[in-house]
Protein backbone atom coordinates (compact mmCIF):
# COMPACT_ATOMS: atom_id res chain seq x y z
CA UNK A 1 0.00 0.00 0.00
CA UNK A 2 1.19 3.47 -0.89
CA UNK A 3 0.64 6.21 1.71
CA UNK A 4 0.89 9.98 1.28
CA UNK A 5 1.90 12.04 4.35
CA UNK A 6 0.76 15.66 4.03
CA UNK A 7 1.96 17.03 7.38
CA UNK A 8 5.09 16.69 9.47
CA UNK A 9 4.61 14.28 12.37
CA UNK A 10 6.75 12.13 14.63
CA UNK A 11 9.21 10.08 12.53
CA UNK A 12 8.02 6.82 14.09
CA UNK A 13 5.10 6.87 11.64
CA UNK A 14 7.41 6.59 8.65
CA UNK A 15 9.79 4.22 10.42
CA UNK A 16 7.22 1.72 11.68
CA UNK A 17 4.96 1.69 8.64
CA UNK A 18 7.95 1.27 6.33
CA UNK A 19 9.15 -1.65 8.44
CA UNK A 20 5.72 -3.22 7.96
CA UNK A 21 5.83 -3.06 4.17
CA UNK A 22 4.07 0.21 3.41
CA UNK A 23 5.49 2.63 0.84
CA UNK A 24 5.42 6.18 2.19
CA UNK A 25 5.83 9.51 0.43
CA UNK A 26 6.18 12.78 2.35
CA UNK A 27 4.80 15.96 0.80
CA UNK A 28 4.69 18.92 3.16
CA UNK A 29 4.56 21.71 0.57
CA UNK A 30 2.10 20.87 -2.21
CA UNK A 31 -0.98 23.06 -2.46
CA UNK A 32 -4.59 21.86 -2.38
CA UNK A 33 -4.71 21.77 -6.20
CA UNK A 34 -1.38 19.96 -6.46
CA UNK A 35 -2.50 17.31 -3.98
CA UNK A 36 -5.77 16.94 -5.89
CA UNK A 37 -3.82 16.22 -9.07
CA UNK A 38 -1.72 13.45 -7.52
CA UNK A 39 -4.04 11.88 -4.94
CA UNK A 40 -5.25 9.11 -7.25
CA UNK A 41 -2.00 7.21 -6.79
CA UNK A 42 -2.38 6.48 -3.07
CA UNK A 43 -4.09 3.88 -0.91
CA UNK A 44 -3.83 5.91 2.28
CA UNK A 45 -3.35 9.50 3.45
CA UNK A 46 -2.02 10.70 6.81
CA UNK A 47 -2.78 14.31 7.71
CA UNK A 48 -3.01 16.82 10.53
CA UNK A 49 -4.70 20.03 9.39
CA UNK A 50 -2.80 21.58 6.48
CA UNK A 51 -4.98 20.36 3.58
CA UNK A 52 -8.79 19.97 3.84
CA UNK A 53 -9.89 16.67 2.33
CA UNK A 54 -13.30 17.64 1.01
CA UNK A 55 -15.40 15.90 -1.65
CA UNK A 56 -13.80 17.94 -4.42
CA UNK A 57 -10.37 16.53 -3.67
CA UNK A 58 -11.46 13.07 -2.57
CA UNK A 59 -13.33 12.38 -5.81
CA UNK A 60 -9.92 12.02 -7.43
CA UNK A 61 -8.75 9.48 -4.82
CA UNK A 62 -10.03 6.43 -6.64
CA UNK A 63 -7.71 3.95 -4.85
CA UNK A 64 -8.02 5.43 -1.36
CA UNK A 65 -8.68 2.96 1.44
CA UNK A 66 -8.11 5.13 4.49
CA UNK A 67 -7.49 8.64 5.82
CA UNK A 68 -5.67 8.88 9.15
CA UNK A 69 -5.63 12.16 11.08
CA UNK A 70 -2.95 12.60 13.71
CA UNK A 71 -5.27 14.25 16.22
CA UNK A 72 -8.84 14.12 17.42
CA UNK A 73 -11.10 16.36 15.31
CA UNK A 74 -12.12 15.17 11.84
CA UNK A 75 -13.87 18.31 10.61
CA UNK A 76 -11.36 18.87 7.80
CA UNK A 77 -12.43 15.58 6.17
CA UNK A 78 -15.69 15.00 4.28
CA UNK A 79 -16.90 12.08 6.37
CA UNK A 80 -20.05 11.50 4.32
CA UNK A 81 -18.06 11.14 1.11
CA UNK A 82 -15.60 8.82 2.84
CA UNK A 83 -18.39 6.60 4.17
CA UNK A 84 -20.15 6.38 0.80
CA UNK A 85 -16.89 5.37 -0.86
CA UNK A 86 -15.74 2.89 1.80
CA UNK A 87 -12.80 5.02 2.90
CA UNK A 88 -11.91 4.20 6.51
CA UNK A 89 -11.39 7.19 8.81
CA UNK A 90 -8.83 6.90 11.60
CA UNK A 91 -8.06 9.42 14.37
CA UNK A 92 -5.98 9.37 17.53
CA UNK A 93 -7.68 11.23 20.42
CA UNK A 94 -6.19 8.70 22.83
CA UNK A 95 -2.78 10.16 22.05
CA UNK A 96 -3.28 13.67 23.39
CA UNK A 97 -6.13 13.38 25.88
CA UNK A 98 -3.73 13.48 28.84
CA UNK A 99 -1.99 16.58 27.54
CA UNK A 100 -5.33 18.33 27.01
CA UNK A 101 -6.48 17.42 30.50
CA UNK A 102 -3.32 18.78 32.09
CA UNK A 103 -3.65 22.05 30.18
CA UNK A 104 -7.27 22.46 31.28
CA UNK A 105 -6.21 22.09 34.90
CA UNK A 106 -3.23 24.37 34.42
CA UNK A 107 -5.26 27.10 32.76
CA UNK A 108 -7.93 26.95 35.44
CA UNK A 109 -5.40 27.23 38.27
CA UNK A 110 -3.63 30.14 36.57
CA UNK A 111 -6.87 31.95 35.74
CA UNK A 112 -8.69 31.47 39.03
CA UNK A 113 -5.66 32.37 41.12
CA UNK A 114 -4.49 35.27 38.91
CA UNK A 115 -1.04 33.65 38.80
CA UNK A 116 0.10 35.13 35.50
CA UNK A 117 -1.12 38.60 36.42
CA UNK A 118 0.50 38.48 39.86
CA UNK A 119 3.78 37.22 38.42
CA UNK A 120 3.93 40.02 35.85
CA UNK A 121 3.13 42.60 38.53
CA UNK A 122 5.88 41.41 40.86
CA UNK A 123 8.38 41.41 37.97
CA UNK A 124 7.48 45.05 37.42
CA UNK A 125 7.88 46.00 41.08
CA UNK A 126 4.17 45.86 41.95
CA UNK A 127 3.27 44.01 45.15
CA UNK A 128 -0.50 43.43 45.44
CA UNK A 129 -1.90 40.78 47.73
CA UNK A 130 -5.58 41.51 48.33
CA UNK A 131 -6.11 42.39 44.67
CA UNK A 132 -4.74 38.97 43.68
CA UNK A 133 -6.83 36.90 46.06
CA UNK A 134 -7.84 33.79 44.12
CA UNK A 135 -10.56 31.16 44.13
CA UNK A 136 -10.17 27.47 44.97
CA UNK A 137 -11.29 24.57 42.84
CA UNK A 138 -12.25 22.73 46.04
CA UNK A 139 -16.03 22.59 46.34
CA UNK A 140 -16.73 23.92 42.86
CA UNK A 141 -19.02 22.15 40.38
CA UNK A 142 -17.33 21.64 37.03
CA UNK A 143 -19.59 21.04 34.05
CA UNK A 144 -18.02 19.28 31.08
CA UNK A 145 -19.60 19.69 27.67
CA UNK A 146 -18.79 16.41 25.97
CA UNK A 147 -17.51 13.24 27.62
CA UNK A 148 -15.28 11.52 25.12
CA UNK A 149 -11.56 10.96 25.46
CA UNK A 150 -10.80 14.55 26.46
CA UNK A 151 -13.70 15.04 28.85
CA UNK A 152 -12.99 11.78 30.65
CA UNK A 153 -9.31 12.65 31.06
CA UNK A 154 -10.22 16.04 32.53
CA UNK A 155 -12.71 14.48 34.95
CA UNK A 156 -10.08 12.00 36.12
CA UNK A 157 -7.61 14.83 36.84
CA UNK A 158 -10.26 16.81 38.72
CA UNK A 159 -10.99 13.89 41.03
CA UNK A 160 -8.10 14.92 43.26
CA UNK A 161 -9.27 18.54 43.63
CA UNK A 162 -12.45 17.96 45.61
CA UNK A 163 -14.75 19.12 42.81
CA UNK A 164 -18.15 17.87 41.86
CA UNK A 165 -17.86 16.91 38.18
CA UNK A 166 -20.92 16.68 35.97
CA UNK A 167 -21.19 16.43 32.19
CA UNK A 168 -23.58 16.71 29.28
CA UNK A 169 -23.23 14.46 26.24
CA UNK A 170 -25.55 13.38 23.44
CA UNK A 171 -24.67 9.73 24.09
CA UNK A 172 -26.70 8.17 26.94
CA UNK A 173 -25.49 6.31 30.03
CA UNK A 174 -21.76 7.02 29.83
CA UNK A 175 -21.16 8.30 33.35
CA UNK A 176 -18.43 6.74 35.47
CA UNK A 177 -16.76 7.08 38.87
CA UNK A 178 -15.25 10.43 37.90
CA UNK A 179 -18.32 12.30 36.58
CA UNK A 180 -22.11 12.18 36.63
CA UNK A 181 -24.15 12.59 33.46
CA UNK A 182 -26.83 15.28 33.62
CA UNK A 183 -29.16 17.12 31.27
CA UNK A 184 -27.99 20.33 29.64
CA UNK A 185 -30.42 22.26 31.84
CA UNK A 186 -28.98 20.70 35.00
CA UNK A 187 -25.44 21.52 33.93
CA UNK A 188 -26.44 25.12 33.31
CA UNK A 189 -28.13 25.26 36.70
CA UNK A 190 -25.25 23.82 38.75
CA UNK A 191 -21.92 24.63 37.09
CA UNK A 192 -19.37 27.08 38.51
CA UNK A 193 -16.97 26.19 35.70
CA UNK A 194 -17.81 25.00 32.17
CA UNK A 195 -15.18 23.25 30.05
CA UNK A 196 -15.75 22.39 26.39
CA UNK A 197 -14.72 19.04 24.88
CA UNK A 198 -16.80 18.98 21.71
CA UNK A 199 -16.23 18.42 18.01
CA UNK A 200 -17.36 21.14 15.63
CA UNK A 201 -20.66 20.24 13.97
CA UNK A 202 -23.79 22.09 12.91
CA UNK A 203 -25.17 21.56 16.41
CA UNK A 204 -22.04 22.60 18.30
CA UNK A 205 -21.16 25.62 16.14
CA UNK A 206 -21.67 28.61 18.48
CA UNK A 207 -23.13 26.33 21.15
CA UNK A 208 -21.85 28.87 23.66
CA UNK A 209 -23.77 31.99 22.70
CA UNK A 210 -25.87 34.65 24.41
CA UNK A 211 -28.82 32.28 24.84
CA UNK A 212 -26.68 29.54 26.42
CA UNK A 213 -24.92 31.98 28.73
CA UNK A 214 -28.20 33.48 29.94
CA UNK A 215 -29.40 30.02 30.98
CA UNK A 216 -26.37 29.41 33.23
CA UNK A 217 -27.62 30.27 36.71
CA UNK A 218 -24.31 31.24 38.33
CA UNK A 219 -21.55 33.54 37.24
CA UNK A 220 -18.99 31.08 35.88
CA UNK A 221 -15.56 30.43 34.40
CA UNK A 222 -15.33 29.14 30.82
CA UNK A 223 -12.58 26.93 29.40
CA UNK A 224 -12.32 26.05 25.71
CA UNK A 225 -9.70 23.60 24.48
CA UNK A 226 -11.98 22.15 21.78
CA UNK A 227 -12.69 24.27 18.70
CA UNK A 228 -12.79 28.05 18.41
CA UNK A 229 -16.14 28.15 16.66
CA UNK A 230 -17.83 26.37 19.57
CA UNK A 231 -17.95 29.84 21.15
CA UNK A 232 -19.48 33.00 19.69
CA UNK A 233 -16.79 35.52 20.57
CA UNK A 234 -19.07 38.55 20.50
CA UNK A 235 -21.33 37.00 23.13
CA UNK A 236 -18.35 35.82 25.19
CA UNK A 237 -17.00 39.38 25.30
CA UNK A 238 -20.39 40.77 26.37
CA UNK A 239 -20.63 38.19 29.16
CA UNK A 240 -17.13 38.97 30.43
CA UNK A 241 -17.90 42.70 30.45
CA UNK A 242 -21.12 42.11 32.40
CA UNK A 243 -19.43 39.77 34.88
CA UNK A 244 -21.59 36.79 33.93
CA UNK A 245 -18.43 35.03 32.78
CA UNK A 246 -15.89 35.61 35.55
CA UNK A 247 -12.96 34.59 33.40
CA UNK A 248 -12.20 32.64 30.25
CA UNK A 249 -9.31 30.30 29.41
CA UNK A 250 -9.20 29.95 25.64
CA UNK A 251 -6.75 27.69 23.83
CA UNK A 252 -8.76 27.99 20.62
CA UNK A 253 -10.33 31.04 19.01
CA UNK A 254 -13.14 31.62 16.55
CA UNK A 255 -10.77 33.56 14.30
CA UNK A 256 -8.15 30.84 13.79
CA UNK A 257 -7.25 29.67 10.31
CA UNK A 258 -8.66 26.26 9.44
CA UNK A 259 -5.12 24.88 9.60
CA UNK A 260 -4.78 26.32 13.16
CA UNK A 261 -1.51 27.98 12.14
CA UNK A 262 -2.44 31.55 12.99
CA UNK A 263 -5.27 34.06 13.39
CA UNK A 264 -7.16 35.11 10.29
CA UNK A 265 -8.07 38.70 11.16
CA UNK A 266 -8.13 41.29 13.89
CA UNK A 267 -11.41 42.76 15.13
CA UNK A 268 -12.69 44.57 18.25
CA UNK A 269 -13.91 41.38 19.98
CA UNK A 270 -10.59 39.62 19.49
CA UNK A 271 -8.78 42.77 20.58
CA UNK A 272 -10.76 42.74 23.83
CA UNK A 273 -9.74 39.14 24.55
CA UNK A 274 -6.10 39.95 23.80
CA UNK A 275 -6.04 42.74 26.38
CA UNK A 276 -8.41 41.54 29.12
CA UNK A 277 -7.01 40.48 32.51
CA UNK A 278 -9.96 38.12 32.76
CA UNK A 279 -8.86 36.11 29.72
CA UNK A 280 -6.05 33.58 29.41
CA UNK A 281 -5.04 32.71 25.84
CA UNK A 282 -2.78 30.05 24.33
CA UNK A 283 -2.12 29.28 20.62
CA UNK A 284 -4.02 25.99 20.18
CA UNK A 285 -1.47 23.99 22.18
CA UNK A 286 -3.71 21.94 24.47
CA UNK A 287 -2.59 18.42 23.64
CA UNK A 288 0.67 19.79 22.17
CA UNK A 289 3.35 18.22 24.35
CA UNK A 290 6.57 16.35 23.68
CA UNK A 291 4.93 13.18 24.93
CA UNK A 292 1.68 13.60 23.01
CA UNK A 293 3.50 14.06 19.69
CA UNK A 294 4.87 10.54 20.05
CA UNK A 295 1.68 9.05 21.50
CA UNK A 296 -0.50 10.52 18.74
CA UNK A 297 1.76 9.02 16.09
CA UNK A 298 1.92 5.64 17.79
CA UNK A 299 -1.86 5.42 18.07
CA UNK A 300 -2.18 6.14 14.34
CA UNK A 301 0.38 3.49 13.43
CA UNK A 302 -1.26 0.91 15.69
CA UNK A 303 -4.70 1.57 14.22
CA UNK A 304 -3.48 1.42 10.63
CA UNK A 305 -1.70 -1.87 11.27
CA UNK A 306 -4.76 -3.29 13.00
CA UNK A 307 -7.06 -2.44 10.09
CA UNK A 308 -4.64 -3.13 7.27
CA UNK A 309 -2.22 -5.85 8.41
CA UNK A 310 0.58 -6.71 6.05
CA UNK A 311 1.43 -10.37 5.25
Amino acid sequence: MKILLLDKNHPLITEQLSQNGFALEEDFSSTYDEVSAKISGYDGIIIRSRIPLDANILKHATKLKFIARVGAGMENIDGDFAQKNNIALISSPEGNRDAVAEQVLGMLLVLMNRLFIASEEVKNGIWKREENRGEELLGKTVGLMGYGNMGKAVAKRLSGFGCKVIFYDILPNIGDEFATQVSLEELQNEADIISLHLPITEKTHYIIDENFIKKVRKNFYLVNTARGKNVKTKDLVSAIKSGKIKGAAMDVLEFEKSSFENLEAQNPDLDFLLHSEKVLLTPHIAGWTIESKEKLAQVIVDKILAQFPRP
Side-chain angles (χ1 to χ4, degrees), residues 1-74:
M1 293 179 71
K2 192 174 181 182
I3 301 175
L4 176 63
L5 291 84
L6 291 175
D7 296 271
K8 292 182 180 179
N9 285 293
H10 196 285
L12 72 80
I13 292 179
T14 302
E15 294 167 3
Q16 294 187 20
L17 290 179
S18 296
Q19 291 168 4
N20 281 274
F22 292 85
L24 287 91
E25 178 184 329
E26 296 178 342
D27 183 349
F28 307 145
S29 60
S30 286
T31 65
Y32 175 94
D33 289 336
E34 290 169 340
V35 172
S36 181
K38 65 186 285 187
I39 200 171
S40 62
Y42 300 92
D43 302 285
I45 300 176
I46 299 177
I47 63 166
R48 270 204 334 256
S49 305
R50 190 174 67 86
I51 299 288
L53 298 181
D54 55 22
N56 186 55
I57 196 170
L58 290 178
K59 68 184 181 183
H60 301 289
T62 52
K63 292 175 56 180
L64 200 61
K65 296 178 177 63
F66 74 85
I67 301 168
R69 180 168 188 271
V70 184
M74 303 291 277

Side-chain angles (χ1 to χ4, degrees), residues 172-298:
N173 304 316
I174 57 173
D176 55 27
E177 68 268 35
F178 299 114
T180 302
Q181 189 162 11
V182 298
S183 66
L184 181 58
E185 292 74 18
E186 190 173 348
L187 185 144
Q188 290 171 314
N189 190 56
E190 292 190 19
D192 300 291
I193 299 161
I194 294 177
S195 184
L196 305 186
H197 305 283
L198 301 165
I200 191 71
T201 67
E202 288 185 8
K203 291 184 178 180
T204 64
H205 187 272
Y206 287 165
I207 191 170
I208 306 299
D209 61 4
E210 181 182 14
N211 184 54
F212 180 99
I213 293 166
K214 282 182 177 179
K215 292 179 179 179
V216 180
R217 182 173 61 86
K218 304 176 186 178
N219 295 346
F220 67 100
Y221 290 97
L222 177 68
V223 184
N224 189 10
T225 55
R227 288 292 182 261
K229 288 181 172 59
N230 290 141
V231 178
K232 192 171 185 178
T233 307
K234 182 178 180 179
D235 296 347
L236 167 65
V237 169
S238 295
I240 293 171
K241 288 179 177 178
S242 73
K244 181 66 180 184
I245 291 181
K246 298 160 73 173
M250 311 292 289
D251 179 58
V252 291
L253 292 167
E254 178 184 352
F255 311 109
E256 284 181 76
K257 292 182 177 179
S258 59
S259 61
F260 311 139
E261 293 172 340
N262 212 323
L263 297 173
E264 289 184 312
Q266 200 82 6
N267 60 66
D269 293 323
L270 176 59
D271 191 61
F272 174 86
L273 297 183
L274 294 175
H275 294 92
S276 174
E277 285 192 347
K278 295 182 178 179
V279 179
L280 187 65
L281 300 173
T282 51
H284 205 129
I285 56 170
W288 201 256
T289 62
I290 294 169
E291 294 85 356
S292 71
K293 183 176 183 180
E294 180 173 351
K295 288 191 284 186
L296 283 165
Q298 191 63 64

